[in-house]
Coordinates of all heavy atoms in Angstrom, one line a residue:
C154 N 128.0 24.0 96.0 CA 127.5 24.8 94.9 C 127.0 26.2 95.5 O 127.2 27.2 94.8 CB 126.3 24.1 94.3 SG 126.9 22.8 93.2
A155 N 126.5 26.2 96.7 CA 126.0 27.5 97.3 C 127.2 28.4 97.5 O 127.1 29.6 97.3 CB 125.2 27.2 98.6
L156 N 128.3 27.8 97.9 CA 129.5 28.6 98.1 C 130.0 29.3 96.8 O 130.4 30.4 96.8 CB 130.6 27.8 98.8 CG 131.8 28.5 99.4 CD1 131.4 29.5 100.5 CD2 132.8 27.4 99.9
L157 N 130.0 28.5 95.8 CA 130.4 29.0 94.5 C 129.4 30.1 94.0 O 129.8 31.2 93.5 CB 130.4 27.9 93.4 CG 130.8 28.3 92.0 CD1 132.1 29.1 92.0 CD2 130.8 27.1 91.1
A158 N 128.1 29.9 94.2 CA 127.1 30.9 93.8 C 127.3 32.2 94.6 O 127.2 33.3 94.0 CB 125.7 30.4 94.0
E159 N 127.6 32.0 95.9 CA 127.9 33.2 96.7 C 129.1 34.0 96.2 O 129.1 35.2 96.2 CB 128.0 32.8 98.2 CG 128.3 34.0 99.1 CD 128.6 33.6 100.5 OE1 129.2 32.5 100.8 OE2 128.2 34.3 101.4
A160 N 130.2 33.2 95.9 CA 131.4 33.9 95.4 C 131.1 34.6 94.1 O 131.6 35.7 93.9 CB 132.5 32.8 95.2
L161 N 130.4 34.0 93.2 CA 130.0 34.6 91.9 C 129.3 35.9 92.2 O 129.6 37.0 91.6 CB 129.2 33.7 91.0 CG 129.8 32.5 90.4 CD1 128.8 31.6 89.8 CD2 130.8 33.0 89.3
A162 N 128.3 35.9 93.1 CA 127.5 37.1 93.4 C 128.4 38.1 94.1 O 128.3 39.3 93.7 CB 126.3 36.7 94.3
D163 N 129.2 37.7 95.0 CA 130.1 38.7 95.6 C 131.0 39.4 94.6 O 131.3 40.6 94.7 CB 131.0 38.0 96.7 CG 130.2 37.7 98.0 OD1 129.0 38.1 98.1 OD2 130.7 36.9 98.8
G164 N 131.5 38.6 93.7 CA 132.4 39.2 92.6 C 131.6 40.3 91.8 O 132.1 41.4 91.5
A165 N 130.4 39.9 91.5 CA 129.5 40.9 90.7 C 129.2 42.1 91.5 O 129.2 43.2 91.0 CB 128.2 40.2 90.3
V166 N 129.0 41.9 92.8 CA 128.7 43.1 93.7 C 130.0 44.0 93.8 O 129.9 45.2 93.7 CB 128.3 42.7 95.1 CG1 128.3 43.8 96.1 CG2 126.9 42.0 95.1
A167 N 131.1 43.3 93.8 CA 132.4 44.1 93.8 C 132.6 44.9 92.5 O 133.2 45.9 92.5 CB 133.6 43.2 94.0
C168 N 131.9 44.4 91.5 CA 132.0 45.2 90.2 C 130.9 46.2 90.0 O 130.8 46.9 89.0 CB 131.9 44.2 89.0 SG 133.3 43.1 88.9
G169 N 130.0 46.3 91.1 CA 129.0 47.4 91.1 C 127.6 46.9 90.9 O 126.7 47.8 90.9
L170 N 127.3 45.6 90.7 CA 125.9 45.2 90.6 C 125.2 45.2 92.0 O 125.9 44.8 93.0 CB 125.9 43.8 90.0 CG 125.7 43.7 88.5 CD1 126.9 44.2 87.8 CD2 125.3 42.3 88.1
P171 N 123.9 45.5 92.0 CA 123.2 45.4 93.2 C 123.1 43.9 93.7 O 123.1 43.0 92.8 CB 121.8 45.9 92.9 CG 121.9 46.6 91.6 CD 123.1 46.1 90.9
R172 N 123.1 43.6 95.0 CA 123.2 42.3 95.5 C 122.1 41.4 94.9 O 122.4 40.2 94.5 CB 123.1 42.3 97.0 CG 122.9 41.0 97.7 CD 124.1 40.1 97.7 NE 125.3 40.7 98.3 CZ 126.5 40.2 98.3 NH1 126.7 39.0 97.7 NH2 127.5 40.8 98.8
A173 N 120.9 41.8 94.8 CA 119.8 40.9 94.3 C 120.0 40.5 92.9 O 119.8 39.4 92.5 CB 118.4 41.7 94.5
K174 N 120.4 41.5 92.1 CA 120.7 41.2 90.7 C 121.9 40.3 90.6 O 121.9 39.3 89.7 CB 121.0 42.5 89.9 CG 121.1 42.3 88.4 CD 121.3 43.6 87.7 CE 119.9 44.3 87.6 NZ 120.0 45.5 86.7
A175 N 122.9 40.5 91.4 CA 124.1 39.6 91.3 C 123.8 38.2 91.7 O 124.3 37.2 91.0 CB 125.2 40.2 92.3
Q176 N 122.9 38.0 92.7 CA 122.5 36.7 93.1 C 121.7 36.0 92.0 O 121.9 34.8 91.7 CB 121.8 36.7 94.4 CG 122.7 37.0 95.6 CD 121.9 37.2 96.9 OE1 120.7 37.5 96.9 NE2 122.6 37.1 98.0
R177 N 120.8 36.8 91.4 CA 120.0 36.2 90.3 C 120.9 35.8 89.1 O 120.7 34.7 88.6 CB 119.0 37.2 89.9 CG 118.0 36.7 88.8 CD 116.8 37.6 88.6 NE 117.2 38.9 87.9 CZ 117.2 40.0 88.5 NH1 116.8 40.2 89.8 NH2 117.6 41.1 87.9
Y178 N 121.9 36.6 88.8 CA 122.8 36.3 87.7 C 123.6 35.1 88.0 O 123.8 34.2 87.1 CB 123.7 37.5 87.3 CG 123.0 38.6 86.6 CD1 123.7 39.8 86.5 CD2 121.7 38.5 86.2 CE1 123.1 40.9 85.8 CE2 121.1 39.6 85.5 CZ 121.8 40.8 85.4 OH 121.2 41.9 84.8
A179 N 124.1 35.0 89.2 CA 124.9 33.8 89.6 C 124.0 32.5 89.5 O 124.5 31.5 89.0 CB 125.4 34.0 91.0
A180 N 122.8 32.6 90.0 CA 121.9 31.4 89.9 C 121.6 31.0 88.5 O 121.6 29.8 88.1 CB 120.6 31.6 90.7
Q181 N 121.4 32.0 87.6 CA 121.1 31.8 86.2 C 122.3 31.2 85.5 O 122.1 30.3 84.6 CB 120.6 33.1 85.5 CG 119.2 33.5 86.0 CD 118.9 34.9 85.4 OE1 119.8 35.7 85.1 NE2 117.6 35.2 85.4
T182 N 123.5 31.7 85.8 CA 124.7 31.1 85.2 C 124.8 29.6 85.6 O 125.1 28.8 84.7 CB 125.9 31.9 85.7 OG1 125.8 33.3 85.3 CG2 127.2 31.3 85.2
M183 N 124.7 29.3 86.8 CA 124.8 27.9 87.3 C 123.7 27.0 86.7 O 124.0 25.9 86.2 CB 124.9 27.8 88.8 CG 126.1 28.5 89.4 SD 126.2 28.5 91.1 CE 126.6 26.8 91.4
E184 N 122.5 27.6 86.7 CA 121.4 26.8 86.2 C 121.5 26.6 84.7 O 121.3 25.4 84.2 CB 120.1 27.5 86.5 CG 118.8 26.8 86.0 CD 117.6 27.6 86.3 OE1 117.6 28.8 86.6 OE2 116.5 27.0 86.1
G185 N 121.9 27.6 83.9 CA 122.1 27.4 82.5 C 123.2 26.4 82.1 O 123.0 25.6 81.2
T186 N 124.3 26.5 82.9 CA 125.3 25.5 82.6 C 124.9 24.1 82.9 O 125.1 23.2 82.1 CB 126.6 25.8 83.4 OG1 127.0 27.2 83.1 CG2 127.7 24.8 83.2
A187 N 124.2 23.9 84.0 CA 123.7 22.5 84.4 C 122.7 22.0 83.3 O 122.8 20.9 82.9 CB 123.1 22.6 85.8
K188 N 121.8 22.9 82.9 CA 120.8 22.5 82.0 C 121.4 22.1 80.6 O 121.0 21.1 80.0 CB 119.8 23.7 81.8 CG 118.7 23.4 80.9 CD 117.7 24.6 80.8 CE 116.6 24.3 79.9 NZ 115.6 25.5 79.8
L189 N 122.4 22.9 80.2 CA 123.1 22.6 78.9 C 123.8 21.3 79.0 O 123.7 20.4 78.1 CB 124.1 23.7 78.6 CG 124.8 23.6 77.3 CD1 123.8 23.6 76.1 CD2 125.8 24.8 77.1
M190 N 124.4 21.0 80.1 CA 125.1 19.7 80.3 C 124.1 18.5 80.3 O 124.4 17.5 79.7 CB 126.0 19.7 81.6 CG 127.2 20.6 81.5 SD 128.1 20.8 83.0 CE 128.4 19.1 83.4
R191 N 123.0 18.7 81.0 CA 122.0 17.7 81.0 C 121.4 17.4 79.7 O 121.2 16.3 79.3 CB 120.9 18.0 82.0 CG 121.2 17.8 83.5 CD 120.0 17.8 84.4 NE 119.1 19.0 84.1 CZ 119.2 20.2 84.7 NH1 120.2 20.4 85.6 NH2 118.4 21.1 84.4
Q192 N 121.0 18.5 79.0 CA 120.3 18.4 77.7 C 121.2 17.8 76.6 O 120.7 17.1 75.8 CB 119.7 19.7 77.3 CG 118.6 20.1 78.1 CD 118.0 21.5 77.7 OE1 118.7 22.3 77.0 NE2 116.8 21.8 78.1
T193 N 122.5 18.2 76.6 CA 123.4 17.8 75.5 C 124.2 16.6 75.8 O 124.8 16.0 74.9 CB 124.3 19.0 75.1 OG1 125.2 19.3 76.2 CG2 123.5 20.2 74.7
G194 N 124.4 16.4 77.1 CA 125.4 15.3 77.5 C 126.8 15.7 77.3 O 127.7 14.9 77.4
A195 N 127.0 17.0 77.1 CA 128.4 17.5 76.8 C 129.2 17.4 78.0 O 128.8 17.6 79.1 CB 128.3 19.0 76.3
H196 N 130.5 17.2 77.7 CA 131.5 17.2 78.8 C 131.6 18.6 79.3 O 131.6 19.6 78.5 CB 132.9 16.7 78.2 CG 134.0 16.6 79.2 ND1 134.7 17.7 79.6 CD2 134.4 15.5 79.9 CE1 135.6 17.3 80.5 NE2 135.4 16.0 80.7
P197 N 131.9 18.8 80.6 CA 132.0 20.2 81.1 C 133.0 21.0 80.4 O 132.9 22.2 80.2 CB 132.4 20.0 82.6 CG 131.9 18.6 82.9 CD 131.9 17.8 81.7
G198 N 134.1 20.4 80.0 CA 135.2 21.1 79.3 C 134.7 21.6 78.0 O 135.1 22.7 77.5
A199 N 133.9 20.8 77.3 CA 133.3 21.3 76.0 C 132.4 22.5 76.2 O 132.4 23.4 75.4 CB 132.6 20.1 75.3
V200 N 131.6 22.5 77.3 CA 130.7 23.6 77.6 C 131.6 24.8 77.8 O 131.3 25.9 77.3 CB 129.8 23.3 78.8 CG1 129.0 24.5 79.2 CG2 128.9 22.1 78.4
K201 N 132.6 24.7 78.6 CA 133.5 25.8 78.9 C 134.1 26.3 77.6 O 134.1 27.5 77.4 CB 134.6 25.4 79.9 CG 135.5 26.5 80.3 CD 137.0 26.3 79.8 CE 137.6 25.0 79.8 NZ 138.7 24.9 78.9
D202 N 134.6 25.4 76.8 CA 135.2 25.9 75.5 C 134.2 26.6 74.6 O 134.6 27.6 74.0 CB 135.8 24.7 74.8 CG 137.1 24.1 75.4 OD1 137.6 24.8 76.3 OD2 137.5 23.0 75.1
A203 N 133.0 26.2 74.7 CA 132.0 26.8 73.8 C 131.7 28.2 74.2 O 131.3 29.0 73.3 CB 130.7 25.9 73.8
V204 N 131.8 28.6 75.4 CA 131.5 29.9 75.9 C 132.7 30.8 76.0 O 132.6 32.0 76.3 CB 130.7 29.9 77.2 CG1 129.4 29.1 77.1 CG2 131.6 29.4 78.4
C205 N 133.9 30.3 75.7 CA 135.1 31.1 75.8 C 135.5 31.6 74.4 O 136.1 30.9 73.6 CB 136.2 30.3 76.4 SG 136.1 30.0 78.2
S206 N 135.2 32.9 74.1 CA 135.6 33.5 72.8 C 137.1 33.8 72.9 O 137.6 34.2 73.9 CB 134.8 34.8 72.6 OG 133.5 34.6 72.7
P207 N 137.8 33.6 71.7 CA 139.2 33.9 71.7 C 139.4 35.4 72.1 O 138.8 36.3 71.6 CB 139.5 33.7 70.2 CG 138.5 32.7 69.7 CD 137.3 33.1 70.5
G208 N 140.3 35.6 73.1 CA 140.6 36.9 73.6 C 139.5 37.5 74.4 O 139.6 38.7 74.7
G209 N 138.4 36.8 74.8 CA 137.3 37.3 75.4 C 137.4 37.4 77.0 O 138.4 37.0 77.6
S210 N 136.3 37.9 77.5 CA 136.3 38.1 79.0 C 136.2 36.8 79.8 O 136.8 36.6 80.8 CB 135.2 39.0 79.4 OG 133.9 38.5 78.9
T211 N 135.4 35.8 79.2 CA 135.3 34.5 79.9 C 136.6 33.8 80.1 O 136.9 33.2 81.1 CB 134.2 33.7 79.2 OG1 133.0 34.4 79.2 CG2 133.9 32.4 80.0
I212 N 137.3 33.7 79.0 CA 138.6 33.0 79.0 C 139.6 33.6 80.0 O 140.4 33.0 80.7 CB 139.2 32.8 77.6 CG1 140.3 31.7 77.7 CG2 139.7 34.1 77.1 CD1 139.9 30.3 78.1
Q213 N 139.5 35.0 80.2 CA 140.3 35.6 81.2 C 139.9 35.2 82.6 O 140.8 35.0 83.4 CB 140.3 37.1 81.0 CG 140.9 37.6 79.7 CD 142.4 37.1 79.6 OE1 143.1 37.2 80.6 NE2 142.8 36.7 78.5
G214 N 138.6 35.1 82.8 CA 138.2 34.6 84.1 C 138.6 33.2 84.3 O 139.1 32.8 85.4
V215 N 138.5 32.3 83.3 CA 139.0 30.9 83.4 C 140.5 30.9 83.7 O 140.9 30.1 84.6 CB 138.7 30.1 82.1 CG1 139.4 28.8 82.1 CG2 137.2 30.0 81.9
R216 N 141.2 31.8 83.1 CA 142.7 31.8 83.3 C 143.0 32.1 84.8 O 143.8 31.4 85.4 CB 143.3 32.9 82.4 CG 144.8 33.0 82.6 CD 145.4 34.2 81.8 NE 144.8 35.5 82.1 CZ 145.1 36.2 83.2 NH1 146.0 35.7 84.0 NH2 144.5 37.3 83.5
V217 N 142.3 33.1 85.4 CA 142.5 33.4 86.8 C 142.1 32.2 87.7 O 142.8 31.9 88.6 CB 141.8 34.7 87.2 CG1 141.8 34.9 88.7 CG2 142.3 35.9 86.4
L218 N 141.0 31.6 87.4 CA 140.6 30.4 88.2 C 141.6 29.3 88.1 O 141.9 28.7 89.1 CB 139.2 29.9 87.7 CG 138.0 30.8 88.0 CD1 136.8 30.3 87.3 CD2 137.8 31.0 89.5
E219 N 142.2 29.1 87.0 CA 143.3 28.1 86.8 C 144.5 28.5 87.6 O 145.1 27.7 88.3 CB 143.7 27.9 85.4 CG 142.6 27.2 84.5 CD 142.4 25.8 84.9 OE1 143.1 25.2 85.7 OE2 141.4 25.2 84.4
E220 N 144.9 29.8 87.6 CA 146.0 30.3 88.3 C 145.8 30.1 89.8 O 146.8 29.8 90.6 CB 146.3 31.8 88.0 CG 146.9 32.0 86.7 CD 147.1 33.5 86.5 OE1 146.6 34.4 87.3 OE2 147.6 33.9 85.4
K221 N 144.6 30.3 90.3 CA 144.3 30.2 91.7 C 144.0 28.8 92.2 O 143.9 28.5 93.4 CB 143.1 31.1 92.0 CG 143.2 32.5 91.7 CD 144.2 33.2 92.6 CE 144.3 34.7 92.2 NZ 145.3 35.4 93.0
G222 N 144.0 27.8 91.3 CA 143.9 26.4 91.6 C 142.4 26.0 92.0 O 142.2 25.1 92.8
L223 N 141.4 26.6 91.3 CA 140.1 26.2 91.6 C 139.8 24.7 91.5 O 139.2 24.1 92.4 CB 139.1 27.0 90.7 CG 137.6 26.6 90.9 CD1 137.1 27.1 92.2 CD2 136.8 27.0 89.7
R224 N 140.2 24.1 90.3 CA 139.8 22.7 90.1 C 140.5 21.8 91.2 O 139.8 20.9 91.7 CB 140.3 22.3 88.7 CG 139.3 22.9 87.7 CD 139.5 22.2 86.4 NE 140.7 22.5 85.7 CZ 141.1 21.9 84.6 NH1 140.4 21.0 84.0 NH2 142.3 22.2 84.0
G225 N 141.7 22.1 91.5 CA 142.4 21.3 92.6 C 141.7 21.4 93.9 O 141.5 20.5 94.6
A226 N 141.3 22.7 94.2 CA 140.6 22.9 95.5 C 139.3 22.2 95.6 O 138.9 21.6 96.6 CB 140.4 24.4 95.7
V227 N 138.5 22.3 94.5 CA 137.2 21.6 94.4 C 137.4 20.1 94.5 O 136.7 19.4 95.3 CB 136.4 22.0 93.2 CG1 135.2 21.2 93.0 CG2 136.1 23.5 93.2
M228 N 138.3 19.6 93.8 CA 138.6 18.1 93.9 C 139.0 17.7 95.3 O 138.5 16.7 95.8 CB 139.7 17.7 92.9 CG 139.2 17.8 91.5 SD 140.6 17.6 90.3 CE 141.1 16.0 90.6
D229 N 139.8 18.5 96.0 CA 140.2 18.2 97.3 C 139.1 18.3 98.3 O 138.9 17.5 99.2 CB 141.3 19.2 97.8 CG 142.7 18.9 97.2 OD1 142.9 17.9 96.5 OD2 143.6 19.8 97.3
A230 N 138.1 19.2 98.0 CA 136.9 19.3 98.9 C 136.0 18.1 98.7 O 135.5 17.5 99.7 CB 136.2 20.6 98.5
V231 N 135.9 17.6 97.5 CA 135.1 16.4 97.3 C 135.7 15.2 98.0 O 135.0 14.4 98.7 CB 134.9 16.1 95.8 CG1 134.3 14.8 95.5 CG2 134.1 17.2 95.1
I232 N 137.0 15.0 97.8 CA 137.7 13.9 98.5 C 137.6 14.0 100.0 O 137.4 13.0 100.7 CB 139.2 13.9 98.0 CG1 139.2 13.5 96.5 CG2 140.0 12.9 98.8 CD1 140.5 13.8 95.8
A233 N 137.8 15.2 100.5 CA 137.7 15.4 102.0 C 136.3 15.0 102.5 O 136.1 14.4 103.5 CB 138.1 16.8 102.4
S234 N 135.3 15.4 101.8 CA 133.9 15.1 102.1 C 133.6 13.6 102.1 O 133.0 13.0 102.9 CB 132.9 15.9 101.3 OG 133.0 17.3 101.4
Y235 N 134.1 13.0 101.0 CA 134.0 11.6 100.8 C 134.7 10.8 102.0 O 134.1 9.9 102.6 CB 134.6 11.2 99.5 CG 134.7 9.7 99.3 CD1 133.6 8.9 99.0 CD2 136.0 9.0 99.4 CE1 133.7 7.5 98.8 CE2 136.1 7.7 99.2 CZ 135.0 6.9 99.0 OH 135.1 5.5 98.8
N236 N 135.9 11.2 102.3 CA 136.6 10.5 103.3 C 135.9 10.7 104.7 O 135.9 9.7 105.5 CB 138.1 11.0 103.4 CG 138.9 10.5 102.3 OD1 138.6 9.5 101.6 ND2 140.0 11.3 101.9
K237 N 135.4 11.9 105.0 CA 134.7 12.1 106.2 C 133.4 11.3 106.3 O 133.1 10.7 107.4 CB 134.4 13.6 106.4 CG 133.7 13.9 107.7 CD 134.6 13.6 108.9 CE 133.9 14.0 110.2 NZ 134.8 13.7 111.3
T238 N 132.7 11.1 105.2 CA 131.5 10.3 105.1 C 131.9 8.9 105.4 O 131.2 8.2 106.2 CB 130.8 10.4 103.8 OG1 130.5 11.8 103.6 CG2 129.6 9.6 103.7
K239 N 133.0 8.4 104.8 CA 133.4 7.0 105.1 C 133.8 6.8 106.6 O 133.5 5.8 107.2 CB 134.6 6.6 104.2 CG 134.2 6.3 102.8 CD 135.4 5.9 101.9 CE 136.5 5.2 102.6 NZ 137.6 4.8 101.7
E240 N 134.5 7.8 107.1 CA 134.9 7.8 108.5 C 133.7 7.7 109.5 O 133.8 7.1 110.5 CB 135.7 9.1 108.8 CG 136.2 9.2 110.2 CD 136.9 10.6 110.4 OE1 137.8 10.9 109.6 OE2 136.5 11.3 111.3
M241 N 132.7 8.4 109.1 CA 131.5 8.4 109.9 C 130.6 7.2 109.7 O 129.5 7.0 110.3 CB 130.6 9.7 109.6 CG 131.4 10.9 110.1 SD 130.6 12.5 109.8 CE 129.1 12.2 108.8
G242 N 131.0 6.2 108.8 CA 130.3 5.0 108.6 C 129.1 5.1 107.7 O 128.2 4.3 107.7
K243 N 129.1 6.2 106.8 CA 128.0 6.4 105.9 C 128.3 6.1 104.5 O 127.5 6.4 103.6 CB 127.5 7.8 106.1 CG 127.0 8.1 107.5 CD 126.5 9.6 107.5 CE 126.0 9.9 108.9 NZ 125.5 11.2 109.0
G244 N 129.5 5.6 104.2 CA 129.9 5.4 102.8 C 129.9 4.0 102.3 O 129.7 3.0 102.9

């Protein structure tokens, strides 16, 4: 999660936001999403769909993440971590 927060902040800095503000916005974005999921029990896909306006900026970001294979990369990272934990006798 820290790596994702850092990437969000770095993207915002690349768009011209000061580092401190970019980090705060990244943390607020992640916190708000997690809070919404906990409070509503909503599926992550439903939360994503709820914030993606037709033709809006968020869905364009989602489109790029899909093109770049974010979900597959995250799933592979979870599986690699799980396998390493098992290998080390901690699973």
Side-chain angles (χ1 to χ4, degrees):
C154 288
L156 192 60
L157 178 57
E159 180 184 33
L161 288 169
D163 285 349
V166 169
C168 291
L170 265 69
R172 172 71 56 190
K174 188 177 280 191
Q176 289 174 341
R177 186 171 66 251
Y178 288 170
Q181 288 171 338
T182 298
M183 295 178 73
E184 182 180 11
T186 300
K188 184 177 180 182
L189 184 60
M190 288 173 56
R191 282 193 314 271
Q192 288 178 343
T193 65
H196 185 278
V200 174
K201 184 249 320 160
D202 289 347
V204 300
C205 287
S206 303
S210 56
T211 302
I212 193 62
Q213 290 305 315
V215 169
R216 181 185 59 78
V217 171
L218 292 172
E219 291 291 351
E220 285 177 358
K221 302 291 183 180
L223 175 74
R224 287 196 289 176
V227 172
M228 291 170 62
D229 287 348
V231 170
I232 293 165
S234 296
Y235 169 77
N236 288 337
K237 183 61 177 181
T238 298
K239 281 180 37 180
E240 178 185 307
M241 294 177 353
K243 296 181 181 179

